[in-house]
């Protein structure tokens, strides 16, 4: 796979299926993205009719933006780092708190090619998700030995799979 992004970076069927499920339930989605930089929101809003099911998206790349826009705790960031399950879950919860959406998805990770450590290697990604008034959870993924674009594409794809499974 080349390291350039094309318009088909998220399986189009995933976005169609997600919009159909959200619309049928009369739910809306909020995204909180770091390492994907808005790819999830873009894949959804590329679809006609997205306004029926997409509330808003937050791209919170810096730690300060996670604090300011999503209410992520500075203590959580200091203790666990931006790339952690705890931060992914706080991002998902904060997105729900700061929107009218019923369901949220958040992503934080190390897309590379640099920035990794032995404890947090390039390709490490956490995805948080939740339903308003319900439990917020997260999952960890390791997309090792992939390009920056592949890490971001795979993260986007897994976010869609999670959303489809919880709906």
């Amino acid at each position: 796979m080349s390291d350039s992004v094309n318009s088909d970076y998220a399986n189009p069927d995933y976005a169609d299926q997600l919009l159909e499920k959200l619309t049928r339930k009369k739910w809306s989605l909020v995204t909180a993205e770091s390492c994907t930089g808005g790819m999830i929101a873009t894949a959804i809003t590329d679809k006609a009719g997205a306004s029926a099911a997409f509330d808003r998206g937050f791209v919170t790349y810096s730690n300060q933006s996670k604090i300011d826009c999503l209410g992520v705790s500075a203590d959580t960031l200091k203790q666990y780092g931006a790339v952690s399950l705890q931060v992914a879950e706080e991002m998902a919860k904060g997105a729900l708190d700061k929107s009218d959406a019923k369901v949220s998805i958040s992503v934080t990770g190390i897309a590379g090619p640099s920035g990794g450590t032995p404890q947090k290697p390039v390709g490490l990604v956490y995805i948080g998700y939740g339903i308003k008034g319900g439990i917020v959870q997260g999952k960890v993924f390791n997309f090792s030995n992939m390009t920056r674009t592949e890490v971001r594409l795979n993260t986007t794809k897994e976010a869609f799979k999670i959303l489809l499974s919880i709906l």
Side-chain angles (χ1 to χ4, degrees), residues 27-98:
W27 286 10
S28 61
L29 172 69
V30 60
T31 60
E33 302 180 64
S34 186
C35 65
T36 50
M39 290 176 86
I40 299 165
T42 298
I44 295 165
T45 59
D46 276 350
K47 300 295 180 180
S51 61
F54 186 75
D55 182 63
R56 68 190 75 184
F58 296 93
V59 177
T60 54
Y61 215 71
S62 71
N63 286 354
Q64 192 62 51
S65 67
K66 289 173 181 64
I67 294 166
D68 294 346
C69 298
L70 300 172
V72 172
S73 164
D75 291 337
T76 301
L77 284 161
K78 184 177 180 183
Q79 183 174 356
Y80 300 103
V83 179
S84 64
L85 183 63
Q86 294 82 359
V87 167
E89 290 175 349
E90 285 191 25
M91 289 172 67
K93 182 184 182 314
L96 286 169
D97 292 344
K98 305 277 185 178

Side-chain angles (χ1 to χ4, degrees), residues 18 34 80 127 130 138 160:
L18 179 62
S34 186
Y80 300 103
I127 300 179
F160 274 103

Side-chain angles (χ1 to χ4, degrees), residues 22 25-31 55-56 58 89 91-105 128-137 163 166-167:
L22 287 166
K25 286 181 170 276
K26 295 184 172 40
W27 286 10
S28 61
L29 172 69
V30 60
T31 60
D55 182 63
R56 68 190 75 184
F58 296 93
E89 290 175 349
M91 289 172 67
K93 182 184 182 314
L96 286 169
D97 292 344
K98 305 277 185 178
S99 72
D100 295 325
K102 177 73 173 171
V103 63
S104 70
I105 194 83
Y129 52 96
I131 296 173
K132 193 164 269 194
I135 297 171
V136 173
Q137 299 177 334
L163 286 166
I166 64 175
L167 290 174

Side-chain angles (χ1 to χ4, degrees), residues 94-149:
L96 286 169
D97 292 344
K98 305 277 185 178
S99 72
D100 295 325
K102 177 73 173 171
V103 63
S104 70
I105 194 83
S106 69
V107 296
T108 184
I110 304 170
S114 61
T117 66
Q119 297 78 24
K120 294 186 180 185
V122 169
L124 178 66
V125 173
Y126 293 92
I127 300 179
Y129 52 96
I131 296 173
K132 193 164 269 194
I135 297 171
V136 173
Q137 299 177 334
K139 290 186 178 185
V140 61
F141 297 87
N142 191 342
F143 303 115
S144 59
N145 300 315
M146 293 186 184
T147 67
R148 177 179 181 79
T149 298

